[in-house]
Every structure is written in C-alpha cells, then in structure tokens.
Amino acid sequence: MKPVTKITITDDGNVRTIKRSTNSGNLYKIPETTTLTMLSTSNDNANPTLIFDGGKEDGKTGTALFENYGTLTVNQGVVLQNNASANNNQGIAIYSQSNSTTTFKGVMRNMISTFTENANPSAIAIKGTFTFENAVVENEVEETEQNEE
C-alpha cells in the first residue's frame, strides 16, 4: 500500500499566480494516493488571491490544468484560468479521473477548447465524483474545426 500524501497550496495574503511556462500536458497531476487542497487567504471568489493560469495569453497550450486521480479541493478565492488547447480534448481546467474526488468552490474562467466533431471539450471532464459548491464558471469558449471532405 502506498503512503497517502497531503499537500496544501496557499498564498501569503498577496495575489499569487502560478503560470504554465511551456507547451505541455497537464500543469499538475494528482496521484490516487494524494490529497491536494488549494486555499486562498481571501476565501472570496470576488477577490481571489491564488490563481493557476494555463498561459493562453502567452501562447502556451496544454491539456488540463489539473488531472486528478486522488482528492482535489479548490476553495473559494482560487481561480483556474486561461488554459488553451492545441488538440482534441484539451483546454480543460480539471480532468477528474475514475475513483477520484473533486470539490470545486472557486472560479473557472477563459478555458479555450479547440475540437473536431469527435471530441468532447469542456471546462471539466468528469469520470470520478465532482461537487460544485458556490463555484463560478465564466467565459468558456469552444472553437469548432470542421473537417472538409
């Protein structure tokens, strides 16, 4: 049996941003034996102090900001934003895998997903248990590519 790891990411009272710096897959991958909790000292979605940014405005692309196989809790005052896709099924804020548990109380905004007719884009992809509590979702965009034949 693998040991359980508990991780908490929080700010120091100032607005802090963690941003994707390269074109790659997931920003974070949470293993099945891990609990990740994100806390904002503001605890207020109108005045967030902890921001996870996919780097869309800097031309960066990737799959999910968070791919969760374990337990993920995103509290109020935490923002997941600006994730863009380069391929199908990308541009997702949270990919909640089978047997995972996600509780989302923060803000998701500006997730951009480019897809073809066979893909299923969204701000979240859910296979596990996903709970929204007083969450905010803003400005989700889907860009469709049509295959010409």
Side-chain angles (χ1 to χ4, degrees):
M1 181 176 206
K2 295 180 182 180
V4 174
T5 303
K6 294 184 179 184
I7 300 168
T8 300
I9 300 174
T10 189
D11 59 76
D12 60 359
N14 297 302
V15 175
R16 299 295 178 188
T17 302
I18 297 172
K19 191 176 221 181
R20 182 188 307 275
S21 62
T22 61
N23 291 328
S24 63
N26 304 310
L27 193 59
Y28 289 96
K29 185 174 182 179
I30 301 130
E32 60 188 32
T33 58
T34 300
T35 297
L36 175 60
T37 303
M38 291 181 277
L39 296 172
S40 165
T41 54
S42 75
N43 198 35
D44 180 0
N45 283 340
N47 297 295
T49 52
L50 184 58
I51 300 167
F52 292 86
D53 192 297
K56 172 183 68 76
E57 293 177 0
D58 296 329
K60 305 301 179 211
T61 60
T63 50
L65 290 178
F66 292 89
E67 184 173 13
N68 183 25
Y69 289 85
T71 302
L72 173 63
T73 302
V74 180
N75 286 292
Q76 289 194 11
V78 177
V79 175
L80 308 183
Q81 69 180 21
N82 298 332
N83 201 34
S85 70
N87 297 305
N88 291 343
N89 296 321
Q90 297 186 6
I92 298 169
I94 299 172
Y95 191 177
S96 179
Q97 295 286 359
S98 297
N99 300 317
S100 68
T101 302
T102 303
T103 303
F104 191 82
K105 302 175 186 178
V107 177
M108 283 184 208
R109 62 182 172 216
N110 302 326
M111 299 295 152
I112 308 296
S113 185
T114 301
F115 65 98
T116 62
E117 61 190 51
N118 297 321
N120 297 305
S122 62
I124 57 174
I126 303 170
K127 291 183 180 177
T129 302
F130 200 105
T131 305
F132 275 99
E133 293 179 16
N134 300 316
V136 178
V137 178
E138 303 171 336
N139 304 325
E140 303 312 308
V141 178
E142 298 175 352
E143 299 174 355
T144 304
E145 293 179 8
Q146 297 297 323
N147 294 330
E148 294 183 25
E149 298 186 37

